[in-house]
């Protein structure tokens, strides 16, 4: 009996070790999948804008679209080629949550923008592509605190800082002073309007929720926020000189992560300088 008990114990230990080994292997496979997804998976949304490849998309210092804004802000923004437009009928066929498209010349930012509908989580598109399938790189998105027509005092768009350079990773180019000086334009397309924003600041910030931390509808709080965006910080910061923002301005904030920093964000901010009817 003693010998049988010993054999049974040995057998039980072997079975236990086999189970532990199998669980470890499974955990390794799952972890490897997510690591591969995080580091290497390119988002293929199957969508592209009908845009020109002429030098007009490569140059920044073209004529400003709005002369009055040029006088108030001493900087010229880029111009879009004449045939640059977004086919929102095609986009809506793919996903009705898509309501805008963001394009920043000389970066890889050229993506649809979505917002999850009422009754669903604001963070849905943090981990889902435009087809609503799980994908770590997610989709560029806004939260329901923001309207879909970019009329709020501050609109915040979120995107991952993917190591393969996709989504909002190339926003970090604005940390380079030379690049920041030569590139200053964000275009946002909606079904009815093309918005042009002058990029005036790019900097590291903490991870607070901006729309919860500042009451953008209250002038004093909004003024405080605007002043915050103009601060010249010692690290990871570029701010254009002679920018005088008003509480009548509309600000676009692009938010992404910093490499290796879970509690910090990198923000690129632009002020609206022009609105034009969308091309069809």
């Amino acid at each position: 009996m003693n010998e049988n008990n010993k054999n049974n114990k040995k057998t039980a230990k072997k079975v236990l070790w086999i189970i532990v080994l199998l669980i470890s292997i499974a955990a390794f496979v799952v972890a490897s999948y997510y690591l591969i997804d995080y580091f290497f998976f390119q988002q293929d949304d199957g969508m592209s804008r009908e845009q020109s490849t002429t030098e007009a998309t490569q140059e920044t210092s073209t004529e400003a679209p709005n002369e009055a804004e040029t006088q108030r802000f001493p900087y010229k923004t880029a111009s879009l080629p004449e045939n640059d437009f977004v086919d929102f009928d095609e986009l809506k066929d793919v996903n009705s949550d898509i309501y805008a498209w963001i394009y920043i010349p000389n970066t890889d930012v050229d993506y649809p923008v979505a917002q999850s509908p009422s009754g669903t989580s604001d963070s849905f598109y943090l981990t889902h592509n435009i087809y609503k399938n799980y994908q770590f790189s997610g989709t560029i998105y806004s939260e329901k605190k923001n309207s879909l027509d970019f009329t709020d005092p501050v609109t915040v768009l979120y995107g991952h800082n993917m190591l393969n350079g996709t989504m909002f990773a190339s926003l970090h180019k604005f940390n380079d002073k030379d690049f920041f000086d030569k590139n200053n334009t964000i275009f946002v397309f909606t079904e009815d309007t093309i918005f042009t924003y002058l990029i005036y600041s790019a900097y590291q910030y903490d991870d607070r929720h901006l729309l919860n931390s500042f009451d953008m509808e209250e002038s004093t709080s909004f003024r405080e926020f605007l002043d915050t965006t103009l601060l010249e910080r010692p690290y990871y910061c570029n701010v254009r000189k002679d920018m005088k923002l008003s509480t009548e301005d509309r600000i676009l904030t692009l938010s992404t992560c910093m490499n290796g920093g879970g509690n910090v964000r990198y923000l690129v901010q632009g002020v609206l300088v022009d609105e034009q009817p969308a091309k069809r």
Side-chain angles (χ1 to χ4, degrees), residues 43 45 86 88 91-92 95-103 109-116 125 130 139-143 146-148 150 155-159 167-168 186-190 252 254:
Q43 170 157 329
D45 56 31
V86 176
F88 277 95
L91 288 172
K92 294 291 185 181
N95 183 347
S96 60
D97 293 344
I98 297 172
Y99 71 97
W101 192 290
I102 182 170
Y103 167 54
V109 177
D110 197 0
Y111 293 108
V113 180
Q115 185 179 108
S116 55
Y125 285 107
I130 63 169
T139 300
I140 306 303
Y141 72 97
S142 64
E143 296 181 334
N146 276 135
S147 63
L148 303 182
F150 293 86
T155 298
V156 182
L157 301 184
Y158 302 91
M167 307 314 290
F168 271 177
I186 302 170
F187 296 106
V188 173
F189 303 78
T190 65
L252 178 65
L254 311 181

Side-chain angles (χ1 to χ4, degrees), residues 2-19:
N2 289 338
E3 191 64 31
N4 286 338
N5 287 338
K6 288 180 179 180
N7 290 336
N8 289 338
K9 287 180 179 179
K10 287 180 179 180
T11 301
K13 286 182 178 179
K14 287 181 180 179
V15 171
L16 180 60
W17 278 112
I18 290 172
I19 292 173

Side-chain angles (χ1 to χ4, degrees), residues 27 32-33 77 88-89 135 170 186 222 233 265-266 279:
S32 297
Y33 168 79
T77 52
F88 277 95
D89 290 336
Q135 189 167 307
S170 59
I186 302 170
F222 186 30
R233 297 162 174 83
R265 299 290 180 265
Y266 190 69
K279 302 169 186 175

Side-chain angles (χ1 to χ4, degrees), residues 26 33 48 53 63 75 94 103 118 134 136 140 148 202 232 248:
Y33 168 79
S48 62
T53 57
E63 290 188 13
Y75 300 96
V94 172
Y103 167 54
S118 177
Y134 171 81
F136 188 89
I140 306 303
L148 303 182
E232 295 191 25
E248 300 300 313

